[in-house]
Amino acid sequence: MSQIGVVIKETYRRQVKAWSFLILVISPFVFILISFGVGYAASNTGQDNNQIAIVASDATLRYELQNSKTATTKYSSITQAKQAVKKEKIKGYFEIKQDKKRIIAAYHGTKNLTQAEKRNFLQILNQKQQELNIQNANLSQNQFKTLGTQPQFEQMVKSSDRGNQEAIKTASFMLLLFVMYFILITYTSATAQEIAAEKGTKIMEMIFSSMTAQKYFYGKIGGIICVIATQILIYILGGGLLYNLAPKFEFSKQIFNDNKLFIDKIVANLGSLSLLYVVMAVILFTVLAALCGALVVRPEDATKATQPALYIVMVGFFGALALGQDPTNVIVKVLSFVPFLSSFFMPVRIIDGSAGTLQIVLSVLILLISTVSLTVYVGKIYSGLILQTDDIGLLKSFRKGIRIK
């Protein structure tokens, strides 16, 4: 294995085995599972004591009313229903009496009927009462047919899903933006601390005696990028698993099925060129964070050193939030070609469809050239930066470091 490969392997192994990585990876899934669990518990808590017993002499009517999700078939007499209400097993019961002319229904309970429950029950009772009215009216066949005449209704709607498309674009943009912000904030600090922890140690002098600082730096960055790629891959696989399991759970099946088209289009947007910008942004900011980490003397100063990188991330994030709703804005167009910021602004234009192929290619090339150039430059000066141990401030430390050969 090459020297760079060895550094990549060791960096990757050390990062992945850390508890912080494990917590970082599983925390979103734990949050989702807890949300599912709370939803499931809420959907089942009090399910029985929210039911309504139906006590009626007409078996057909009782059956129709009991088809409601809020009705129960456990109690068939007034005495049983009263006892169930008293023991808080159900919230109430319907006592339904019927003669040849009228249906009389009375609700007894400890909780009011919801509007949906009242509407569902009354719909069935009204339908049954209408059947009795027709029977008692002794209508001829022609009169009965006349009563059955239905109004004619047509819908003439111009096909337009502009509102849905805008909602999909907004949701895709927001999700992508928050994922990128979360990853960049996390790994910018982690990379700087990783580099700062090694600075000035005897181990670094021994390593540099057997391999160049430039190769070591490339291996270091490669290992960190592999860690990030592993996390993203786990999120993709975990998201795919949730995508397939959500329709099978009772508490999420209806919501998922009602919004499946919406979810599918969001997933398609995230899997487009926008993902390429996320990957390139991660590499670019990782290199910048490594440069910041190499400028400090003590590991505890790494957070302070990463402030320039974090400021750029926040400018991109909040700028995209503020201007992202108008992708045709001239500021958005300009910043979509600026390295470090293009990863925030060009995906907005890609999702919106306002960026042409030539513009996207040009933006990607500028970002790629900037990433490669910064990586090569930091690799060349890495030896001087990592071996410079005087606590003289970031700017002076950088100037002194680039003079060390």
Side-chain angles (χ1 to χ4, degrees), residues 197-210 386-387 389:
E198 298 177 341
K199 183 170 181 177
T201 61
K202 295 294 182 180
I203 297 177
M204 294 307 302
E205 295 179 6
M206 295 174 60
I207 291 175
F208 290 167
S209 65
S210 59
I386 207 73
L387 296 176
T389 57

Side-chain angles (χ1 to χ4, degrees), residues 53-56 62 74-83 93:
I54 306 297
V55 182
R62 184 173 65 248
K74 293 179 181 179
Y75 311 100
S76 57
S77 69
I78 296 294
T79 302
Q80 290 179 342
K82 286 182 177 179
Q83 289 295 323
Y93 64 91

Side-chain angles (χ1 to χ4, degrees), residues 188-189 192-193 289 292-293 301-311 394:
T188 296
S189 299
Q193 290 176 353
C292 295
D301 293 334
T303 302
K304 181 176 65 176
T306 57
Q307 287 181 355
L310 294 177
Y311 287 152
L394 298 181

Side-chain angles (χ1 to χ4, degrees), residues 19-70:
W19 279 104
S20 58
F21 176 79
L22 180 61
I23 294 173
L24 190 65
V25 168
I26 67 173
S27 55
F29 298 107
V30 171
F31 175 78
I32 293 173
L33 291 175
I34 291 175
S35 301
F36 279 179
V38 171
Y40 181 76
S43 65
N44 286 279
T45 299
Q47 185 176 17
D48 288 337
N49 61 17
N50 277 328
Q51 289 187 323
I52 302 166
I54 306 297
V55 182
S57 57
D58 189 326
T60 302
L61 178 59
R62 184 173 65 248
Y63 175 77
E64 291 178 0
L65 290 170
Q66 286 172 345
N67 281 337
S68 172
K69 292 181 179 180
T70 57

Side-chain angles (χ1 to χ4, degrees), residues 1 15 60 101 172 252 272 275 307 335 337:
M1 184 180 292
Q15 290 278 345
T60 302
K101 292 185 177 181
S172 302
S252 60
S272 63
L275 187 59
Q307 287 181 355
L335 294 180
F337 296 98

